[in-house]
């Protein structure tokens, strides 16, 4: 994954014709909430520099490299004297004055005139602190708090305004300060773990992602000495900057939502960019195209509005996709799941499975159908606590690994029972479960038992769902469920919305013995309502036939028994379409 991010960063640097320094510079208005810049102004002449007040100007994206803003530094100064304003006085003192105070002028390897310039600016900031802070506060009060402001230096000379990025001395200091952070742990004349080349210099702690840490002794290879940490993960300066750029690109352009979870999509070009079709490569090279694709409406499997997987499934297997699910808490990062090396051909299989399910159920299948029963263990809980199970099944689907069918049905039935007991929308939950099982069966991630059976009247319905319903027991349970649903509908109609027979279904926790006793109970109750007509008798006869074929000691979990019975509750209309003619329906319904 790290190599893929580095390669993506190199591609962006090349495509956008960036310079090394541009990788470190950030756009302070990337989120669109910093539209104004407060400038501490100076006037430069050939012989001197003077303070010239505080002013405000509109943010200009064309000046990003000249603003030379970098985040970081915590409460201390960052890499440049430019900052987002939190509290006017604090930002000025810590981020602007603090940057100049921390300079070691003796070690600055530059022309004496530049050293003099820096020292002069430092002195002018000190001398005019009161006026500067007063004016920053004044401008701050002119804007609502939700509107961010940026604070930086601006210099006027005979050619117009200059910013710190226009001075070579500030650019050199940015690189130097950036390297200082990494030069605490380094080695020389070693092989970089990313590019695989022998380099004059490799850093020992490149924490592009905060989940890489060496803050515990055991994390360091070959001993407990932090100075040896370069042995863990040696990274040359060039690869470090490419990583930074790749990370920024992914976070800005390839980050998506996944039902309350965030993930980053990281492409990996297996044998280089040149092997990738130009239209696919353009998706990653052109930010404008990426944005337009996100806004387009295509088939979705993740159900994220920004999803672009339907486009990427058409790529050749010369690239793979990595899905990085990451959780941030303050400055810490934790990997929830990393799905690596998903080939476009496997994406196509996933979409083929989705399309098959869409056709069967006449409804769009997405991971939302799975999430509906893999979100909360208790529907009344405020937060999701089944993310781990949801991510596990997501991982298996994208890697093509088998799914534990019994565990899956357990979660499906938990949600179905909650809804059934409350007599809410349990049929929606059953449908989610049926769509999920059919989807996984189409992908061959669950093995369905199949038994050869004689041809019967309802074969067409069962065949529609593929391998799911190809045993006598499953068919018997489904038909009994459908017959029970017709009884519940009759009760609902005759008893003003009441369905007392539901208590006989034991909250959908029926055993083999319960099921075998249920069929005569349903028939008797239909007789009482004088509703055991020809069609329902046919349904009962078929259910009885399949259950008899199933014999005794079914040896399947109670969750599965009740899942197939619940499927029947949902499929009642499919069977009535066969057992009744329209005229008969009018008489009996």
């Amino acid at each position: 994954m790290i190599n893929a991010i580095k390669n993506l960063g190199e591609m962006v640097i090349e495509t956008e014709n960036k310079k090394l320094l541009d990788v470190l510079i950030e756009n302070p208005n990337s989120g669109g909430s910093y539209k104004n810049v407060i400038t501490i102004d100076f006037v430069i002449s050939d012989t001197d520099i003077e303070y010239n007040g505080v002013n405000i100007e509109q943010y200009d994206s064309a000046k990003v490299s000249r603003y030379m803003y970098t985040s970081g530094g915590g409460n201390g100064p960052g890499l440049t004297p430019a900052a987002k304003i939190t509290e006017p006085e604090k930002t000025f003192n810590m981020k602007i004055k603090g940057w100049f105070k921390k300079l070691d002028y003796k070690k600055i390897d530059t022309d004496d005139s530049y050293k003099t310039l820096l020292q002069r600016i430092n002195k002018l900031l000190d001398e005019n602190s009161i006026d500067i802070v007063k004016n920053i506060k004044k401008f701050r009060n002119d804007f609502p708090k939700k509107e961010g402001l940026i604070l930086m230096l601006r210099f006027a000379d005979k050619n117009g305004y200059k910013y710190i990025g226009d001075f070579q001395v500030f650019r050199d200091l940015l690189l130097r300060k950036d390297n200082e952070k990494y030069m605490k742990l380094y080695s020389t004349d070693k092989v970089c773990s990313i590019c695989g080349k022998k380099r004059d210099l490799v850093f020992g702690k490149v924490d592009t992602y905060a989940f890489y840490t060496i803050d515990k002794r055991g994390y360091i290879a070959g001993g407990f000495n932090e100075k040896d940490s370069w042995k863990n993960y040696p990274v040359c300066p060039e690869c470090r900057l490419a990583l930074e750029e790749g990370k920024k690109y992914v976070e800005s352009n390839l980050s998506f939502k996944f039902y309350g979870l965030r993930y980053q999509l990281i492409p990996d070009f297996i044998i280089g960019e040149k092997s990738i079709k130009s239209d696919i490569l353009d998706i990653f090279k052109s930010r404008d195209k990426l944005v337009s694709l996100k806004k387009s409406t295509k088939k979705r499997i993740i159900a994220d509005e920004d999803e672009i997987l339907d486009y990427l499934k058409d790529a050749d297997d010369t690239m793979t996709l990595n899905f990085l699910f990451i959780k941030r808490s303050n400055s810490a990062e934790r990997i929830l799941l990393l799905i690596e090396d998903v080939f476009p051909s496997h994406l196509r299989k996933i979409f083929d499975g989705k399309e098959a399910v869409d056709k069967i159920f006449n409804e769009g299948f997405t991971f939302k159908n799975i999430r509906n029963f893999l979100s909360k263990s208790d529907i009344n809980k405020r937060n999701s606590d089944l993310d781990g199970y949801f991510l596990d099944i997501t991982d298996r689907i994208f890697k093509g690994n088998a799914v534990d069918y019994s565990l899956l049905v357990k979660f499906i039935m938990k949600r179905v029972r909650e809804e059934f007991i409350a007599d809410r929308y349990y049929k929606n939950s059953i449908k989610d479960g049926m769509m999920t099982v059919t989807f996984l069966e189409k992908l061959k991630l669950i093995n369905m038992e199949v038994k050869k059976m004689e041809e019967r009247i309802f074969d067409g319905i069962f065949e529609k769902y593929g391998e799911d319903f190809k045993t006598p027991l499953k068919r018997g349970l489904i038909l009994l469920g459908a017959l029970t649903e017709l009884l519940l509908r009759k009760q609902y109609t005759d008893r003003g919305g009441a369905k007392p027979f539901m208590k006989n279904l034991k909250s959908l926790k029926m055993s083999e013995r319960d099921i075998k006793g249920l069929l005569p109970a349903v028939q008797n109750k239909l007789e009482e309502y004088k509703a055991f007509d020809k069609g329902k008798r046919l349904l009962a006869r078929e259910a009885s036939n399949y259950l008899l074929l199933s014999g005794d000691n079914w040896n399947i979990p109670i969750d599965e028994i009740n899942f197939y019975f619940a499927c029947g509750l949902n499929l009642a209309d499919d069977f009535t379409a066969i057992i009744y003619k329209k005229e008969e329906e009018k008489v009996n319904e």
Side-chain angles (χ1 to χ4, degrees), residues 507-556:
S507 303
L508 294 180
K509 293 181 180 177
M510 295 177 286
S511 64
E512 177 182 341
R513 183 178 178 183
D514 295 325
I515 290 290
K516 286 179 175 175
L518 187 65
L519 179 57
V522 173
Q523 292 178 172
N524 290 338
K525 191 57 71 178
L526 283 168
E527 293 276 15
E528 289 177 19
Y529 281 98
K530 300 187 186 307
F532 200 34
D533 52 50
K534 185 178 177 183
K536 294 185 184 68
R537 289 180 190 279
L538 174 60
L539 207 54
R541 188 171 69 239
E542 289 298 302
S544 177
N545 171 64
Y546 281 121
L547 290 175
L548 284 171
L549 285 174
S550 307
D552 296 324
N553 302 318
W554 294 344
N555 197 29
I556 68 170

Side-chain angles (χ1 to χ4, degrees), residues 195-291:
C195 64
K197 296 177 182 175
K198 197 169 188 178
R199 298 291 194 181
D200 294 339
L201 174 68
V202 292
F203 298 126
K205 185 184 178 186
V206 175
D207 49 357
T208 311
Y209 284 94
F211 52 73
Y212 175 70
T213 176
I214 54 171
D215 62 354
K216 291 184 173 57
R217 286 184 167 189
Y219 292 172
I220 300 171
F224 301 137
N225 190 344
E226 193 179 56
K227 288 183 179 178
D228 290 333
S229 61
W230 66 268
K231 295 177 181 176
N232 275 29
Y233 177 44
V235 180
C236 67
E238 291 80 5
C239 285
R240 184 188 75 77
L241 287 172
L243 266 178
E244 292 284 350
E245 187 63 22
K247 181 188 177 188
K248 277 198 288 187
Y249 185 83
V250 168
E251 289 184 340
S252 301
N253 303 285
L254 295 172
S255 292
F256 302 94
K257 296 175 189 170
F258 191 51
Y259 310 110
L261 305 165
R262 299 284 301 182
Y263 78 93
Q264 297 173 0
L265 185 67
I266 303 162
D268 191 1
F269 310 119
I270 301 173
I271 50 178
E273 298 169 38
K274 292 179 182 175
S275 63
I276 307 296
K277 286 181 180 175
S278 59
D279 57 332
I280 296 296
L281 199 58
D282 281 350
I283 292 174
F284 301 108
K285 280 189 170 182
S286 168
R287 293 175 198 254
D288 291 341
K289 183 164 185 177
L290 191 57
V291 170

Side-chain angles (χ1 to χ4, degrees), residues 38 85-86 88 135-149:
I38 294 178
I85 295 176
T86 51
N135 282 291
I136 295 172
K137 286 180 177 176
K138 176 178 170 295
F139 284 121
R140 176 67 273 182
N141 292 334
D142 289 342
F143 290 88
K145 283 187 177 179
K146 64 180 181 182
E147 288 190 30
L149 292 169

Side-chain angles (χ1 to χ4, degrees), residues 63 142 187 229-230 238 266 313 364 380 405 449 485 491 495 511 565:
K63 296 178 180 175
D142 289 342
S187 187
S229 61
W230 66 268
E238 291 80 5
I266 303 162
K313 72 176 173 48
N380 297 313
Y405 183 59
E449 183 186 11
E485 170 65 15
Q491 279 194 329
R495 303 193 58 163
S511 64
F565 177 84

Side-chain angles (χ1 to χ4, degrees), residues 213-432:
T213 176
I214 54 171
D215 62 354
K216 291 184 173 57
R217 286 184 167 189
Y219 292 172
I220 300 171
F224 301 137
N225 190 344
E226 193 179 56
K227 288 183 179 178
D228 290 333
S229 61
W230 66 268
K231 295 177 181 176
N232 275 29
Y233 177 44
V235 180
C236 67
E238 291 80 5
C239 285
R240 184 188 75 77
L241 287 172
L243 266 178
E244 292 284 350
E245 187 63 22
K247 181 188 177 188
K248 277 198 288 187
Y249 185 83
V250 168
E251 289 184 340
S252 301
N253 303 285
L254 295 172
S255 292
F256 302 94
K257 296 175 189 170
F258 191 51
Y259 310 110
L261 305 165
R262 299 284 301 182
Y263 78 93
Q264 297 173 0
L265 185 67
I266 303 162
D268 191 1
F269 310 119
I270 301 173
I271 50 178
E273 298 169 38
K274 292 179 182 175
S275 63
I276 307 296
K277 286 181 180 175
S278 59
D279 57 332
I280 296 296
L281 199 58
D282 281 350
I283 292 174
F284 301 108
K285 280 189 170 182
S286 168
R287 293 175 198 254
D288 291 341
K289 183 164 185 177
L290 191 57
V291 170
S292 66
L293 288 180
K294 286 180 175 181
K295 289 179 179 174
S296 303
T297 301
K298 293 275 283 183
K299 293 171 193 166
R300 291 178 181 133
I301 186 69
I302 301 283
D304 186 318
E305 290 183 359
D306 292 338
E307 184 183 329
I308 61 170
L309 297 182
D310 190 35
Y311 295 93
L312 300 179
K313 72 176 173 48
D314 296 324
D316 295 329
D317 282 351
T318 48
M319 65 175 283
T320 63
L321 296 168
N322 301 297
F323 298 77
L324 175 64
F325 290 84
I326 197 166
K327 185 175 184 178
R328 289 194 174 87
S329 178
N330 298 321
S331 60
E333 290 177 332
R334 183 163 64 92
I335 295 178
L336 298 178
L337 175 68
L338 173 61
I339 305 174
E340 289 185 290
D341 300 332
V342 177
F343 285 96
S345 58
H346 188 68
L347 271 186
R348 288 196 289 277
K349 286 182 185 175
I350 292 174
F351 275 91
D352 287 346
K354 165 198 161 47
E355 286 176 18
V357 175
D358 292 353
K359 191 175 178 183
I360 291 170
F361 290 88
N362 196 27
E363 187 175 317
F365 173 81
T366 67
F367 275 71
K368 183 179 180 184
N369 298 89
I370 303 174
R371 183 62 161 168
N372 284 343
F373 52 81
L374 282 178
S375 176
K376 300 175 184 176
S377 59
D378 183 335
I379 202 167
N380 297 313
K381 280 194 172 183
R382 184 174 180 180
N383 298 317
S384 170
D385 61 344
L386 296 179
D387 290 345
Y389 290 103
F390 180 57
L391 288 174
D392 178 69
I393 198 168
T394 300
D395 182 50
R396 291 173 183 277
I397 290 169
F398 277 94
K399 287 182 177 173
N401 292 333
V403 170
D404 185 335
Y405 183 59
S406 294
L407 184 64
L408 175 70
V409 173
K410 182 178 180 180
F411 282 115
I412 293 172
M413 286 310 300
K414 190 169 190 318
R415 173 50 54 91
V416 170
R417 286 177 184 127
E418 285 176 347
E419 301 288 354
F420 182 80
I421 291 168
D423 197 14
R424 290 191 298 241
Y425 304 107
Y426 62 89
K427 290 186 179 176
N428 289 339
S429 297
I430 296 169
K431 192 171 186 179
D432 286 334

Side-chain angles (χ1 to χ4, degrees), residues 26 69-80 82-83 95 181:
E26 299 172 39
Y69 165 82
T70 64
S71 61
N75 291 324
L79 299 178
T80 64
K95 299 290 186 179
K181 173 184 172 185

